[in-house]
Amino acid sequence: MFRHWSAFFRKDIKYYGHVISLGYNCEVSFQFFLKYHFVESSLFAWANVGSAENLVRTLEHLQSIGTGRLENEMSLWKDFNTGIYFHGKAPMDWWKNHTITPQQEEEDKQELLDRLSYLKEKFIRTATDGKRNLYIFQYPPDETNAQIAASMILRLNDTLGRLVTNRFDLLIITQESFCPGLENLLSNENIFIRRVRFFAPPSDVTGKHNDHKHYRRIFSEFRPDFKLKKSKKFKFEVR
């Protein structure tokens, strides 16, 4: 089990056998990578799910991902069954500069379909392998009603509970100004609310404008009990 020596002096630290981002976009995965220098591959780690409601609906129909219409929009692939946007492997510049060939586009699409099929199976496998899981959802900032947000978080937790047989916690990351009093509406012992000052711009979640300080603090409390060897460079490392 992976432990940092400083962890022995803190009682609030929680360790997990899987740390799985549910979106809403790539910022959680990026900030986790900055802290631990690896990210466990998972279905929604590098996707834009759009909303909490859309995530819940997708989890309720998990096998529909990647089984219908899939089209590229502004370098991201939109899965029309779910409305979720996924990253392909092709360089972003190929799309932005309109230099990608029809063959390269088809290869990129097929690679994504194969990857989605694998990650759907992995999502279920990592939900049922006996480890303790952490699911993280960065709640989109457009909700203004704390009661509605709390209800949606509970619905997300219940939906996960129908899929996950492992012990699990649900970590909700919100902005500092998001729905004051939200914490008081959630008393579940496996749901945690943590706040950052602001989210990175949706168009540049791997850029320099982010609240890295508070994300580091969050991921010092919620930690992996494992470390994965990094085997590839991510797009944001080579841009």
Side-chain angles (χ1 to χ4, degrees), residues 108-124:
D108 196 50
K109 180 179 181 179
Q110 188 57 53
E111 187 281 330
L112 176 59
L113 288 171
D114 292 343
R115 179 156 41 95
L116 290 177
S117 179
Y118 165 77
L119 290 176
K120 283 190 294 185
E121 293 179 4
K122 183 178 181 182
F123 190 91
I124 298 301

Side-chain angles (χ1 to χ4, degrees), residues 70-78 80 86 88 95 105 108:
L70 193 71
E71 291 186 6
N72 196 275
E73 296 184 5
M74 299 296 291
S75 78
L76 292 173
W77 289 96
K78 181 179 180 179
F80 279 79
F86 294 97
W95 299 104
E105 182 172 351
D108 196 50

Side-chain angles (χ1 to χ4, degrees), residues 12-166:
D12 61 337
I13 293 175
K14 291 163 276 290
Y15 288 95
Y16 301 92
H18 296 292
V19 178
I20 299 170
S21 173
L22 300 174
Y24 79 100
N25 61 27
C26 308
E27 186 172 9
V28 166
S29 295
F30 176 63
Q31 290 295 335
F32 185 89
F33 174 83
L34 292 182
K35 172 72 174 175
Y36 290 108
H37 309 294
F38 73 90
V39 176
E40 182 176 12
S41 64
S42 58
L43 188 56
F44 306 106
W46 303 105
N48 189 321
V49 304
S51 69
E53 184 173 8
N54 194 49
L55 171 64
V56 170
R57 186 166 52 245
T58 299
L59 290 173
E60 291 172 342
H61 302 90
L62 193 68
Q63 294 306 320
S64 71
I65 297 174
T67 60
R69 181 179 167 199
L70 193 71
E71 291 186 6
N72 196 275
E73 296 184 5
M74 299 296 291
S75 78
L76 292 173
W77 289 96
K78 181 179 180 179
D79 175 42
F80 279 79
N81 277 358
T82 62
I84 294 179
Y85 289 83
F86 294 97
H87 281 280
K89 297 290 187 181
M92 301 286 279
D93 287 347
W94 289 8
W95 299 104
K96 291 179 179 179
N97 298 330
H98 305 288
T99 57
I100 190 166
T101 67
Q103 180 179 345
Q104 290 169 330
E105 182 172 351
E106 184 58 33
E107 289 173 352
D108 196 50
K109 180 179 181 179
Q110 188 57 53
E111 187 281 330
L112 176 59
L113 288 171
D114 292 343
R115 179 156 41 95
L116 290 177
S117 179
Y118 165 77
L119 290 176
K120 283 190 294 185
E121 293 179 4
K122 183 178 181 182
F123 190 91
I124 298 301
R125 188 169 66 251
T126 56
T128 58
D129 62 2
K131 297 183 180 181
R132 184 185 181 192
N133 293 5
L134 177 67
Y135 294 93
I136 310 171
F137 183 62
Q138 182 192 51
Y139 208 107
D142 50 0
E143 181 57 70
T144 58
N145 186 301
Q147 289 281 359
I148 292 176
S151 177
M152 187 56 63
I153 291 167
L154 291 172
R155 184 178 163 196
L156 173 58
N157 189 62
D158 290 345
T159 302
L160 287 170
R162 290 191 289 272
L163 292 170
V164 183
T165 60
N166 291 356

